[in-house]
Amino acid sequence: MIQYILGRFVLIVPTIVAVSIVVFLMLYLTPGDPAIIYLGDTPATPARVAQIRHAMGLDRPLSTQYLSYVARLVRGDLGRSLRNDDTVLGEIQYRFPSSAQLAGAAFVVTVTLGIGLGLISALSRGTWLDASAMILALLGVSMPIFWLGLMLIFVFSLQLGWFPATGFGGWERLVLPAVTLGLLTSATLARLARSSVLEILWQPYIRTARAKGLAKGHVVRRHVLRNALILLITVAGLQLGDLLSGAVITETVFARPGLGKLLVDAILNKDFPVVQGVVLLIAVAYTLINLGVDVSYAYFDPRIRFE
Amino acid sequence: MLGGVLLVLVIVATLLAPLLTPYNPLALSPTDRMLPPGPHHLLGTDEFGRDVLTRILFGARTSLRTGLVAVSLAIVIGVPMGLASGFYGGLIDRLLMRLVDLMLTFPGILLALVIVAILGPSLFNAMLAVGISASPTYARVVRSSVLSTKPHFFVEAAQAIGCRNWRIMLRHILPNVVAPIVVLGTLGVAGAIIAAAALSFLGLGAQPPEPEWGALLSEGRNFLLDAWWIATFPGLAIMVTVLAINLLGDGLRDVLDPQLRT
């Protein structure tokens, strides 16, 4: 198992290197002189621009610039924000807890609701329960997350006054954003959970389990869920990626000071070092999540690690 | 069926927008500020006195066009990549698939955000961003369809009579992978409408005063307490349209490509 994990870990190194190249090149792909972008709206003489170019190392070959970028990354130096001169790493560290809390809580909503709805729907196939669960899921897939967030604020904050609409800190500020983000991703998971459970219900081993007189609950827990788990772990893992990017929108709707809001504000302010730092972090986190999904596969399904 | 009917209704309403409403989507009317839904303004007015229904109808043009253009772009980029990758295999396949993997490292809307960060916020750039970021999915699906089509005798026969590779790809393989592209493309329009609306909502797509569904919602969010209708109805419009497209896509999938059924 350890060998398997190490093997998978080695495979993600090229991906992370490629991601770092893309993030590094972002600034150079932007139309215009990177030095002028770095200067922002402040007017500057050509001499000042040249000075910035030199200070940023823009007058050196691109490969040298990339290597020094990587060297800085390894030291944990992601540069400084153009807006307030804070270190990007510091900004990220400050915002990270809010985003992690949101993603974690939303993931719990996604898994509970998604697998629960899918399972109920599949086990009561063809009934009104199945139909209503799937209509709910279809509505969930079709609903824009930012609208759902606004509607929840309207009903539960402005009308009923149950939860605060914005900000970070305390569980009461987490409920609405987590439900918004989680509801959306659980809809996809519910649809997939239903179809994979239905497929398993047709398998001969389920018929055998029933034929030998096992209780329905036992069949579901031991035979249906265990076999559906592989697919559901994959999808839930991939949903975590959606949660990471969905957090960008949710945080803006609920004005939560997280990484997503930091990213959107940085794009609007052309604060490139911050954009690069946050994008790099999310992409690397997503790659590691995928690695985690692969490893958990192998854990739950021994066939995979022996292949 | 229901999805198709709903979608036709949305499209007809969009095309007939100037006939269905007497108002101009951009004209300001300070005396009519934030009027609730009523007989003169069925869905109320916004903070500048503009009719919300009119802006939704005209916004539908922008949003539907954005969705269609973005998906077309994704198909134009993704399908040739998938065709070449599956058909040639070897180094070309490895290179193209690594590129696809790299693009998929940026989850969900993140790749679109990266592209908008590079190109700058505008509706056109949002369309490009959504289209490019959706293309890897098409490349992957087409590649796997090509791989399952390639071993057939008709491909070997075409090679035997001396057909050029591009002809085999376009005339013999492509028609066999059209079904998944149609299904994915239909469902993709729904996703693209939401993604583009999300970018506009964040201020990175359509810019005011252009009526676009995401931008309309963004305008309405500051008036949720005093004028709930400004943000509520554009969201419902997005939901109904996306629901219609999803229903249509699901139906098409069941007919054209039962294997994709989830």
Side-chain angles (χ1 to χ4, degrees):
Chain A
M1 185 74 190
I2 291 174
Q3 204 177 4
Y4 177 82
I5 296 175
L6 283 176
R8 298 292 311 166
F9 201 79
V10 170
L11 281 179
I12 67 165
V13 174
T15 312
I16 291 180
V17 171
V19 166
S20 73
I21 294 177
V22 172
V23 171
F24 166 74
L25 286 177
M26 271 176 77
L27 186 65
Y28 300 87
L29 292 170
T30 310
D33 186 342
I36 293 180
I37 295 168
Y38 259 84
L39 277 165
D41 295 330
T42 34
T45 59
R48 173 79 182 129
V49 174
Q51 192 187 358
I52 295 281
R53 285 184 68 82
H54 184 69
M56 285 171 66
L58 294 170
D59 47 1
R60 287 180 295 161
L62 207 58
S63 54
T64 321
Q65 289 181 50
Y66 172 69
L67 289 177
S68 68
Y69 171 72
V70 173
R72 274 184 283 130
L73 280 187
V74 172
R75 288 197 305 269
D77 177 6
L78 294 173
R80 282 178 178 278
S81 161
L82 302 181
R83 225 157 43 107
N84 50 20
D85 208 37
D86 285 345
T87 63
V88 175
L89 189 66
E91 287 256 16
I92 288 176
Q93 279 170 338
Y94 174 68
R95 309 273 193 137
F96 183 75
S98 164
S99 293
Q101 203 185 53
L102 174 61
F107 190 64
V108 173
V109 176
T110 303
V111 172
T112 322
L113 212 65
I115 297 184
L117 266 185
L119 197 63
I120 291 171
S121 193
L123 293 177
S124 51
R125 191 188 183 189
T127 63
W128 64 269
L129 207 61
D130 177 23
S132 2
M134 283 306 104
I135 289 174
L136 210 67
L138 190 62
L139 284 177
V141 177
S142 309
M143 208 182 287
I145 187 170
F146 39 97
W147 182 70
L148 176 64
L150 287 179
M151 291 302 108
L152 290 180
I153 289 181
F154 179 64
V155 176
F156 293 102
S157 297
L158 301 179
Q159 298 298 319
L160 299 172
W162 289 0
F163 303 104
T166 55
F168 166 60
W171 67 269
E172 66 277 10
R173 289 185 196 276
L174 186 62
V175 174
L176 291 185
V179 168
T180 305
L181 191 53
L183 271 181
L184 207 79
T185 36
S186 63
T188 318
L189 191 59
R191 278 155 67 103
L192 270 160
R194 177 181 183 270
S195 65
S196 62
V197 169
L198 277 181
E199 208 167 285
I200 290 165
L201 287 175
W202 281 103
Q203 299 294 324
Y205 56 79
I206 300 294
R207 201 166 50 228
T208 309
R210 280 189 182 147
K212 69 181 183 185
L214 287 181
K216 196 176 176 186
H218 193 80
V219 176
V220 170
R221 272 196 314 276
R222 288 292 299 273
H223 299 279
V224 177
L225 267 185
R226 261 193 92 99
N227 281 289
L229 217 54
I230 300 294
L231 179 76
L232 296 180
I233 292 169
T234 326
V235 181
L238 294 175
Q239 298 288 59
L240 253 177
D242 280 350
L243 287 181
L244 288 177
S245 68
V248 174
I249 300 163
T250 317
E251 285 174 358
T252 307
V253 174
F254 290 93
R256 272 178 80 84
L259 292 174
K261 184 145 188 354
L262 180 67
L263 176 62
V264 173
D265 291 343
I267 294 175
L268 286 168
N269 293 321
K270 290 190 174 168
D271 194 345
F272 257 90
V274 176
V275 175
Q276 286 174 308
V278 179
V279 167
L280 186 70
L281 181 83
I282 297 181
V284 171
Y286 187 49
T287 311
L288 291 175
I289 288 169
N290 277 333
L291 174 75
V293 170
D294 277 355
V295 170
S296 59
Y297 263 0
Y299 179 77
F300 284 110
D301 191 346
R303 284 170 296 188
I304 291 169
R305 53 175 189 268
F306 291 122
E307 256 173 28
Chain B
M1 183 64 189
L2 176 68
V5 173
L6 260 177
L7 190 62
V8 168
L9 279 177
V10 172
I11 294 173
V12 168
T14 309
L15 292 175
L16 298 180
L19 302 175
L20 293 175
T21 165
Y23 303 104
N24 179 319
L26 298 177
L28 310 181
S29 172
T31 49
D32 296 329
R33 284 186 74 239
M34 298 213 262
L35 293 178
H40 295 297
H41 299 280
L42 288 177
L43 302 184
T45 61
D46 67 6
E47 78 272 27
F48 297 112
R50 297 171 297 199
D51 183 59
V52 171
L53 176 62
T54 307
R55 285 180 63 76
I56 290 176
L57 286 173
F58 280 89
R61 295 178 164 197
T62 318
S63 290
L64 288 177
R65 193 178 58 227
T66 308
L68 285 173
V69 171
V71 167
S72 312
L73 185 68
I75 289 176
V76 166
I77 300 171
V79 171
M81 273 171 82
L83 268 179
S85 191
F87 185 77
Y88 291 111
L91 185 66
I92 294 181
D93 181 31
R94 281 205 296 279
L95 279 177
L96 287 174
M97 283 305 111
R98 287 299 80 77
L99 180 65
V100 164
D101 286 346
L102 179 63
M103 289 168 88
L104 291 173
T105 316
F106 300 91
I109 203 173
L110 189 68
L111 184 60
L113 284 173
V114 168
I115 297 169
V116 169
I118 292 170
L119 299 175
S122 80
L123 183 62
F124 181 75
N125 290 344
M127 260 191 263
L128 278 184
V130 173
I132 294 172
S133 59
S135 60
T137 317
Y138 293 83
R140 278 214 169 154
V141 170
V142 169
R143 176 180 177 272
S144 67
S145 301
V146 171
L147 286 178
S148 62
T149 310
K150 218 173 119 184
H152 282 106
F153 280 125
F154 60 85
V155 177
E156 204 177 317
Q159 279 167 332
I161 60 169
C163 277
R164 287 173 191 278
N165 282 341
W166 63 265
R167 191 180 164 85
I168 297 176
M169 275 194 269
L170 293 182
R171 290 293 296 272
H172 300 284
I173 291 183
L174 190 61
N176 283 288
V177 300
V178 162
I181 299 175
V182 169
V183 174
L184 207 62
T186 311
L187 293 169
V189 173
I193 288 178
I194 290 194
L199 288 177
S200 296
F201 177 81
L202 296 173
L204 302 170
Q207 303 294 319
E210 180 163 20
E212 192 271 353
W213 285 343
L216 294 184
L217 253 165
S218 179
E219 287 164 21
R221 66 199 261 218
N222 298 326
F223 306 99
L224 217 45
L225 190 59
D226 304 315
W228 54 269
W229 51 90
I230 306 179
T232 305
F233 293 119
L236 275 176
I238 301 180
M239 196 168 91
V240 170
T241 309
V242 168
L243 184 69
I245 299 173
N246 277 335
L247 283 172
L248 182 70
D250 282 357
L252 279 175
R253 181 190 54 207
D254 295 349
V255 175
L256 292 175
D257 199 352
Q259 282 179 341
L260 274 178
R261 193 171 191 161
T262 53

